[in-house]
Amino acid sequence: MKTVKASMLLLHFVGAFVDVYLSFIATPVLTLPVCSGYPLGISLILGIPTDLQVYLGISFVGVIAVTILFFFEDRHHRLVHGHGSNGKRSWKRMIYLVFHYIVSVTFIAPGYMNIPDQTIGREITKKTIPCIPNEVLNRPGYFVLSVVNTIPCLCLAFMFSLVMPQAIYFIGSIFYYLFHTVSKSQTTTRLQRQFFFALCIQIFVPLIVLTFPVLYIVLAIWFNYYNQGATNIALAAIAFHGILSTITMLIVHTPYRNATVSIFRINSKTTGNNSQHIWKTVVGTQAQHSVW
């Protein structure tokens, strides 16, 4: 249980950090189908280069995918193999974990091997999107990653093909174990199934919200489709991932929901008691003055 909590904490931490990065630090505006855009966040004040911001933003999406993968991998290992491991990872699993995280932060690197001259890149962007205003192309920090969409799309497709089959395998193995393994305690089996269903709902609801905008971005680049409004909505949906994950967790997990409700009840009671105390003090003071 402690391991599951640790993996859940890591997943929420990564999701929250990516949300802060996308909605506050970078706040990117993409001008698809050309792989280009500009930031609107605090990074402009901090002077962070836009090419670095783009690299980090794409890598963080890969980190989220790998973190979700290892959430299910850890759960699978604890159920099927890990009863005698005492929560410790073997060196093979550590290599497996480190390899995937290295891939998650480097899979987009091939897209940076042929960055065009930015002046030429703006000209090609204008030819590709004739209706784009010149003031957008001249925005501070405007950056053109690539004018040939093949390499960025292949990088994203590679990351997707690496993570998705493994996640499907671990989820399928967990389902098979829970429904085909005879346990000494039926209550334990029932609780394990309920807990796993809750975990699946907690992860897949935000993941679906994350998958559609990412898929739209890839398809818009691949099919040379321009719709600035839809692109902005897709980026906003990606930044909404962490909030939706937290809300889903509070809905599906009763202990977390009860703990959160109790915190608000304690705060409301404390505020009410303080208000009553202040009101009684004021009324008592006024009564004393009226007596004197």
Side-chain angles (χ1 to χ4, degrees):
M1 182 61 70
K2 290 182 179 179
T3 309
V4 175
K5 290 181 178 179
S7 58
M8 288 178 63
L9 177 62
L10 176 62
L11 182 60
H12 280 290
F13 175 79
V14 172
F17 180 80
V18 173
D19 286 352
V20 171
Y21 180 82
L22 292 178
S23 60
F24 179 70
I25 298 177
T27 317
V29 177
L30 300 181
T31 54
L32 305 177
V34 181
C35 296
S36 60
Y38 57 92
L40 288 176
I42 196 174
S43 58
L44 287 174
I45 301 175
L46 299 176
I48 302 175
T50 307
D51 55 349
L52 177 60
Q53 296 182 55
V54 173
Y55 189 95
L56 292 176
I58 299 175
S59 299
F60 288 154
V61 175
V63 170
I64 288 180
V66 171
T67 304
I68 294 174
L69 170 64
F70 278 108
F71 180 86
F72 287 112
E73 184 273 340
D74 187 78
R75 182 63 177 161
H76 171 268
H77 180 78
R78 303 301 162 187
L79 282 175
V80 181
H81 306 292
H83 295 291
S85 62
N86 295 324
K88 296 181 179 179
R89 288 183 177 272
S90 65
W91 65 269
K92 293 181 180 180
R93 293 182 68 218
M94 288 299 299
I95 294 176
Y96 177 75
L97 184 149
V98 172
F99 169 77
H100 279 78
Y101 273 111
I102 291 176
V103 172
S104 70
V105 297
T106 57
F107 76 96
I108 196 60
Y112 275 71
M113 294 181 179
N114 193 25
I115 297 178
D117 179 85
Q118 293 303 295
T119 302
I120 298 176
R122 288 185 176 90
E123 293 177 356
I124 296 176
T125 302
K126 184 64 176 178
K127 292 180 181 179
T128 306
I129 314 173
C131 59
I132 189 172
N134 291 328
E135 60 183 23
V136 172
L137 298 176
N138 296 325
R139 291 292 298 254
Y142 192 89
F143 174 70
V144 180
L145 173 61
S146 176
V147 294
V148 179
N149 298 334
T150 305
I151 294 179
C153 286
L154 289 177
C155 291
L156 293 171
F158 165 76
M159 193 65 199
F160 180 82
S161 62
L162 175 67
V163 173
M164 186 57 65
Q166 297 184 73
I168 293 174
Y169 166 76
F170 288 128
I171 295 170
S173 297
I174 294 171
F175 268 108
Y176 183 86
Y177 178 86
L178 291 178
F179 287 93
H180 291 83
T181 301
V182 179
S183 176
K184 295 181 180 180
S185 173
Q186 294 183 353
T187 303
T188 301
T189 301
R190 178 177 56 82
L191 292 176
Q192 285 182 337
R193 292 175 181 176
Q194 291 178 351
F195 182 62
F196 182 67
F197 282 134
L199 292 178
C200 289
I201 295 173
Q202 174 193 346
I203 291 178
F204 280 115
V205 170
L207 185 61
I208 291 173
V209 175
L210 183 65
T211 300
F212 281 105
V214 172
L215 182 62
Y216 164 79
I217 291 174
V218 173
L219 293 178
I221 295 173
W222 187 263
F223 291 103
N224 203 34
Y225 175 72
Y226 174 74
N227 188 327
Q228 192 61 50
T231 302
N232 294 340
I233 293 174
L235 291 175
I238 292 174
F240 190 67
H241 166 267
I243 298 175
L244 184 60
S245 177
T246 302
I247 294 174
T248 307
M249 181 190 70
L250 295 178
I251 293 174
V252 300
H253 293 294
T254 304
Y256 292 105
R257 183 171 65 252
N258 292 340
T260 304
V261 172
S262 65
I263 291 174
F264 283 104
R265 285 178 179 174
I266 292 173
N267 291 336
S268 62
K269 289 180 180 179
T270 303
T271 304
N273 292 335
N274 291 336
S275 301
Q276 292 177 3
H277 179 71
I278 294 172
W279 173 253
K280 290 179 180 179
T281 302
V282 172
V283 172
T285 303
Q286 291 178 349
Q288 290 178 0
H289 282 295
S290 62
V291 171
W292 288 103

